[in-house]
Amino acid sequence: MTAIPGDRPRRGAVLAWRAPAAVVAGALPALAFPAPGLWWLAYAALVPWLLLVRSAGSARRAVAEGWLGGAGFLLAVHHWLLPSLHVFILVLAGLLGLLWAPWGLLVHRMLGGRPGPGRVAAAVVVVPSAWLLVELVRSWQYLGGPWGLMGASQWQFAPALRLASLGGVWLAGFVVVAVNTALAALVCAPRARLCAAAGLAVCAAALGAAWQWAPVPRPAGSARVAVVQAGVVGGTDSVTHRFEVQERLTRELAGRRPGLVVWGESSVGQDLGRHPELRDRLTALSRAVGADLLVNVDARRSDRPGIYKSSVLVGPGGPTGDRYDKMRLVPFGEYIPARSLLGWATAVGKAAGEDRMRGDRQVLMRVPAAGGLRAGPLVCFESAFPDMSRRLARDGAQLLVVQSSTSTFQHSWAPQQHASLAALRAAETWRPVVHATLTGVSTVADARGRTLGPVLGTDGPAAAVYDVPLASGTSPYVRAGDWVPYGAFAVVALCCAAEAVRARRRDRRDAPPV
């Protein structure tokens, strides 16, 4: 066949534009997360990416566009890390984006060409299942953790939060991606539009049914909890000044009768065993306010080697109960994975100069001043891990307390993204969540994920007291666990097995007779 003059250059130009288009299309869903907070956009934000990948001219190009879109998504959701990691964030996004390469291939296989009703019906189940497997793999703490899971974008949407109580963030994310897949099929599969519309109807029915008939937690009294937020404190003696600001704000709570006062992550910069004067000041402060203080010590411990981030409860008689040492550390921020290979990251960004040490178990703390309230502490981005809050709820926690600091990223999307997780963890576990930060955003969510009282922003020091309604009962998600990811794995495995059988049959049919 004779090539048409000018055809190859035009084709090359089209292919050159597809790569940046994949990156942009993959980045679009980031707008559904805070700070933009366009949660409703999540239900259509994947459509451009899906349409691009399904129209790829070959399976190889579909794989590449899945990879590039995944890298674009990670860059957009984590763009606030750029000042800290510099060029290294591009390397990480490129490597982790590879997780979406098989997803791109599957999208091309399910929606490419002229799909009929059967393929579209399968795609509405298989494509979101494969997406969840990507999220599950990248949720491993050594790959960065579960920040920016698609279901987390729905923290303001009450029906999606009710879904989370049934199947966690995974079920909410599955429905979001299923809606996107059905919308893409409406555009690209004219022979199967009725099937795609039916898929949309099923997703809408699932949201409606969860909202109407899913079980809800039962009221079980209340706890009076205060949050103290130091705000940004700079200077050469910032550790001392920060402590003084928190001490002053806490003392002003006297007379407002909180049972528990929560300070943010790294609110105390010296070990209480090495500095008994700090321990005595906190003890006296607890007596003056009539409340137990939950502080967070970020320091080299006196009783074992290494630096720990630890939640410590201090009462009128001094530190009380078990101390909780942070178990899941932020890669590069608090330790460098494979430091012997990647230690050079400290030269190009603000990576950890010394690895923090890990705790080895979760703990429950009884708060005497709050009537023996059982509180389950989490530190910083541990609130992004649904399994940690689920374990605390299963072990008997009545209140989940997150001590956090996003001060390094103060003027970015990070503080609001982090605070939004409180609603999701509360809805999943049927336990209220107090999210107390060093510099904002601090917030409280009730057992259904609804925001309570004032939200403390990033504009300065603040303190607030909340009457937090407690709840009893065990949510279906806490009881059943991660059944949605297991189901997604089974769906993808069956799809791969079916494809292997079809390929084997084609090979036999096409084989020359012996």
Side-chain angles (χ1 to χ4, degrees):
M1 181 181 293
T2 302
I4 300 173
D7 181 63
R8 185 170 296 175
R10 280 200 304 272
R11 184 171 180 269
V14 170
L15 293 180
W17 276 105
R18 290 184 68 96
V23 175
V24 173
L28 184 60
L31 296 176
F33 296 88
L38 306 177
W39 63 266
W40 46 268
L41 182 62
Y43 291 92
L46 288 175
V47 172
W49 189 10
L50 288 165
L51 293 177
L52 184 73
V53 172
R54 59 86 48 190
S55 68
S58 66
R60 179 179 297 180
R61 180 155 293 278
V63 166
E65 289 170 358
W67 167 42
L68 291 171
F73 175 75
L74 292 173
L75 279 174
V77 174
H78 297 85
H79 72 275
W80 38 269
L81 286 171
L82 189 58
S84 295
L85 296 183
H86 298 294
V87 69
F88 202 71
I89 187 64
L90 301 177
V91 177
L92 291 175
L95 290 174
L96 293 178
L98 286 169
L99 294 173
W100 276 271
W103 181 79
L105 180 62
L106 187 144
V107 169
H108 186 260
R109 176 67 186 86
M110 303 297 293
L111 294 177
R114 293 174 54 83
R119 251 207 292 162
V120 166
V124 173
V125 178
V126 175
V127 170
S129 295
W131 180 278
L132 286 194
L133 293 188
V134 174
E135 291 195 328
L136 189 65
V137 172
R138 77 177 183 88
S139 293
W140 188 38
Q141 60 174 310
Y142 298 105
L143 291 180
W147 194 278
L149 300 184
M150 189 60 72
S153 67
Q154 301 303 292
W155 69 280
Q156 301 175 83
F157 188 38
L161 290 175
R162 198 67 60 83
L163 276 180
S165 74
L166 301 175
V169 64
W170 314 110
L171 184 55
F174 181 93
V175 170
V176 169
V177 181
V179 169
N180 278 273
T181 306
L183 286 175
L186 278 176
V187 175
C188 71
R191 295 193 301 130
R193 281 178 178 153
L194 184 61
C195 183
L200 289 174
V202 169
C203 292
L207 284 166
W211 174 244
Q212 288 293 324
W213 296 302
V216 294
R218 299 183 299 273
S222 65
R224 196 163 172 82
V225 180
V227 171
V228 169
Q229 180 177 290
V232 177
V233 178
T236 55
D237 202 13
S238 59
V239 171
T240 299
H241 291 327
R242 182 182 300 118
F243 187 94
E244 291 171 348
V245 169
Q246 294 166 132
E247 187 177 35
R248 172 179 58 79
L249 290 171
T250 302
R251 199 171 294 278
E252 292 172 357
L253 297 173
R256 301 183 64 182
R257 298 178 294 102
L260 174 66
V261 178
V262 185
W263 291 10
E265 180 187 14
S266 304
S267 48
V268 178
Q270 295 170 314
D271 185 78
L272 300 184
R274 292 178 183 271
H275 296 270
E277 71 282 1
L278 287 182
R279 181 195 60 213
D280 294 343
R281 285 172 68 176
L282 289 169
T283 301
L285 188 60
S286 171
R287 286 197 296 266
V289 178
D292 293 320
L293 311 179
L294 184 63
V295 301
N296 188 269
V297 179
D298 183 359
R300 198 173 300 278
R301 287 183 62 159
S302 59
D303 57 342
R304 64 180 67 173
I307 301 173
Y308 288 80
K309 286 190 175 182
S310 305
S311 300
V312 179
L313 189 66
V314 181
T320 178
D322 289 336
R323 125 187 224 153
Y324 171 64
D325 297 321
K326 185 177 183 181
M327 297 172 62
R328 296 184 181 172
L329 305 177
V330 180
F332 298 97
E334 293 171 335
Y335 79 103
I336 296 181
R339 183 177 283 272
S340 60
L341 295 176
L342 302 177
W344 56 268
T346 59
V348 298
K350 300 176 182 177
E354 178 181 350
D355 291 351
R356 297 299 195 267
M357 306 300 288
R358 300 177 187 275
D360 55 10
R361 64 186 180 95
Q362 293 185 260
V363 303
L364 288 182
M365 297 178 172
R366 288 193 174 269
V367 186
L373 175 75
R374 296 185 301 276
L378 297 166
V379 181
C380 193
F381 97 137
E382 289 181 333
S383 68
F385 292 85
D387 66 300
M388 296 193 74
S389 54
R390 182 164 58 87
R391 177 181 290 277
L392 288 171
R394 194 173 60 225
D395 289 348
Q398 297 169 284
L399 176 73
L400 303 179
V401 182
V402 181
Q403 295 176 292
S404 171
S405 172
T406 50
S407 55
T408 304
F409 316 105
Q410 188 75 353
H411 302 293
S412 72
W413 294 0
Q416 288 164 291
Q417 282 186 21
H418 200 180
S420 70
L421 295 175
L424 201 63
R425 299 289 88 87
E428 287 176 337
T429 61
W430 286 2
R431 295 296 179 263
V433 175
V434 173
H435 181 88
T437 69
L438 197 66
T439 59
V441 174
S442 297
T443 189
V444 177
D446 73 2
R448 297 192 190 187
R450 298 171 296 195
T451 301
L452 299 175
V455 174
L456 307 183
T458 58
D459 49 352
V465 178
Y466 302 82
D467 288 310
V468 182
L470 304 177
S472 63
T474 304
S475 74
Y477 175 62
V478 169
R479 284 198 302 269
D482 292 327
W483 61 272
V484 175
Y486 292 137
F489 179 81
V491 166
V492 174
L494 286 172
C495 177
C496 293
E499 184 63 26
V501 169
R502 283 194 293 269
R504 188 176 181 85
R505 287 175 178 171
R506 283 195 301 268
D507 291 342
R508 287 178 176 176
R509 185 179 63 245
D510 298 339
V514 178

